[in-house]
């Protein structure tokens, strides 16, 4: 349970009307703004991540987006957990700006090797961007087809999931308040919601829309990471590009599509 000081911090946090600018460009075009942010943090993180993954055939480019989000959001979460800095749109913007500045410094200091890798591997990197876009667009289309956060007959975990996202967005310091237990805080894993919540706060996108953008984001990030693992592993040993692409796509199928065959049934039913 929160003590009185913590409860007061929650009560003093801004309302949704304070958090969101409903007439902003991002609010009017949320999917474009969301995808643009993912692209920016991915490009910003790559000069840093390639220092660790440059030995991979794709130089770790397809891993840059999840690391970019982590680099931008984790410092804000940590400082808000220590009560040193508020979790708001300004703090997320500053953290993202610091990421861009640090990445720019790294890119300048390693510009010769960076340009060399871009010339040699730009086709693989471009393919990674196309794959991410297709994965994002696929699950975004599914959510557009049925954006309801509650299944009419089966229910599900989405009401709890959505309540936790709202609590994360509504909270200026961590842990967030518990939306199911008045006066308490979430005694549950919630950090994944912070990624979506941080982007929602920064861009001013309301939770109901942000939730339906967060789902395709996590799917697309997983597609990129799984493809990177399959592609890089095969290419590192066999040096055969088309076969490596096939292994990467097969990895996506096994990890993200065939694990739950009921998904295929549901897609057939809604069409």
């Amino acid at each position: 349970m929160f003590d009185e000081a913590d409860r007061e911090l929650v009560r003093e946090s801004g309302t949704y009307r304070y958090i969101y600018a409903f007439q902003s460009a991002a609010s009017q075009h949320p999917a474009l703004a969301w995808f643009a942010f993912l692209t920016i943090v991915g490009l910003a993180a790559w000069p840093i991540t390639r220092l660790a993954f440059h030995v991979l055939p794709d130089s770790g480019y397809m891993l840059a987006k999840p690391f970019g989000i982590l680099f931008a959001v984790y410092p804000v979460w940590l400082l808000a957990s220590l009560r040193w800095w508020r979790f708001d749109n300004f703090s997320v913007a500053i953290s993202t700006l610091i990421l861009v500045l640090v990445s720019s410094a790294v890119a300048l200091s390693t510009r010769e090797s960076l340009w060399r890798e871009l010339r040699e591997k730009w086709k693989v990197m471009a393919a990674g961007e196309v794959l991410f876009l297709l994965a994002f667009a696929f699950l975004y289309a599914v959510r557009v087809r049925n954006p309801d956060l509650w299944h009419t007959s089966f229910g599900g975990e989405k009401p709890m999931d959505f309540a936790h996202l709202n609590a994360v967005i509504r909270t200026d310091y961590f842990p967030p308040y518990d939306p199911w237990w008045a006066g308490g805080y979430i005694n549950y894993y919630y950090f994944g919601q912070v990624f979506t919540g941080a982007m929602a706060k920064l861009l001013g996108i309301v939770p109901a829309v942000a939730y339906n953008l967060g789902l395709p984001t996590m799917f697309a990030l997983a597609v990129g990471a799984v493809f990177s693992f399959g592609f890089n592993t095969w290419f590192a040993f066999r040096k055969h590009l088309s076969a490596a692409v096939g292994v990467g796509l097969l990895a996506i199928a096994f990890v993200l599509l065939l694990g739950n065959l009921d998904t295929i049934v549901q897609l057939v039913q809604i069409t």
Side-chain angles (χ1 to χ4, degrees):
M1 301 296 291
F2 280 137
D3 58 28
E4 183 56 38
D6 288 326
R7 285 197 294 270
E8 188 62 29
L9 286 176
V10 173
R11 284 193 292 265
E12 291 177 354
S13 297
T15 63
Y16 282 144
R17 186 165 295 278
Y18 168 79
I19 296 172
Y20 299 108
F22 293 99
Q23 301 304 317
S24 67
S27 294
Q28 299 300 311
H29 307 282
L32 291 177
W34 195 276
F35 195 85
F37 177 79
L38 292 173
T39 302
I40 290 171
V41 296
L43 292 174
W46 182 61
I48 300 173
T49 57
R50 66 176 285 273
L51 297 178
F53 301 116
H54 66 92
V55 296
L56 298 179
D58 70 346
S59 296
Y61 185 79
M62 283 175 274
L63 300 175
K65 282 186 175 65
F67 275 102
I69 299 174
L70 182 66
F71 293 156
V73 174
Y74 182 79
V76 180
W77 171 82
L78 181 61
L79 294 175
S81 298
L82 296 173
R83 313 299 172 86
W84 292 354
W85 204 5
R86 294 168 68 99
F87 175 62
D88 56 18
N89 56 355
F90 177 75
S91 62
V92 178
I94 292 298
S95 183
T96 305
L97 178 60
I98 292 173
L99 168 62
V100 172
L101 294 175
V102 171
S103 177
S104 299
V106 172
L108 286 174
S109 63
T110 60
R111 56 185 177 275
E112 293 183 3
S113 60
L114 186 144
W115 283 114
R116 183 172 61 253
E117 291 189 15
L118 279 175
R119 289 193 300 268
E120 295 174 353
K121 304 176 181 180
W122 70 269
K123 291 183 180 179
V124 175
M125 297 175 185
E129 286 292 341
V130 171
L131 183 64
F132 182 86
L133 173 61
L134 292 176
F136 184 89
F138 166 71
L139 206 66
Y140 178 72
V142 172
R143 299 308 305 157
V144 169
R145 178 68 176 80
N146 181 20
D148 193 357
L149 300 182
W150 172 258
H151 194 287
T152 53
S153 56
F154 294 113
E157 293 186 1
K158 287 180 183 176
M160 184 190 75
D161 210 22
F162 187 53
H164 283 186
L165 175 62
N166 276 275
V168 166
I169 292 174
R170 177 68 173 74
T171 300
D172 285 345
Y173 300 96
F174 296 115
Y177 69 89
D178 192 333
W180 305 105
W181 186 258
Y185 58 84
I186 294 180
N187 184 25
Y188 194 72
Y189 46 86
Y190 67 89
F191 184 66
Q193 301 284 12
V194 178
F195 291 133
T196 301
M199 295 168 64
K201 276 195 169 185
L202 175 65
L203 301 173
I205 297 174
V206 295
V209 177
Y211 186 93
N212 282 317
L213 290 170
L215 289 175
T217 298
M218 299 306 168
F219 177 73
L221 292 174
V223 164
V226 170
F227 180 86
S228 179
F229 177 80
F231 173 85
N232 287 310
T233 301
W234 186 267
F235 193 82
F237 289 100
R238 295 302 180 95
K239 307 296 183 185
H240 195 285
L241 182 60
S242 58
V245 171
V247 170
L249 295 176
L250 191 63
I252 292 173
F254 276 113
V255 175
L256 296 170
L257 299 178
L258 300 180
N260 184 358
L261 296 180
D262 186 59
T263 301
I264 300 175
V265 176
Q266 292 183 25
L267 289 175
V268 172
Q269 289 175 342
I270 66 175
T271 56

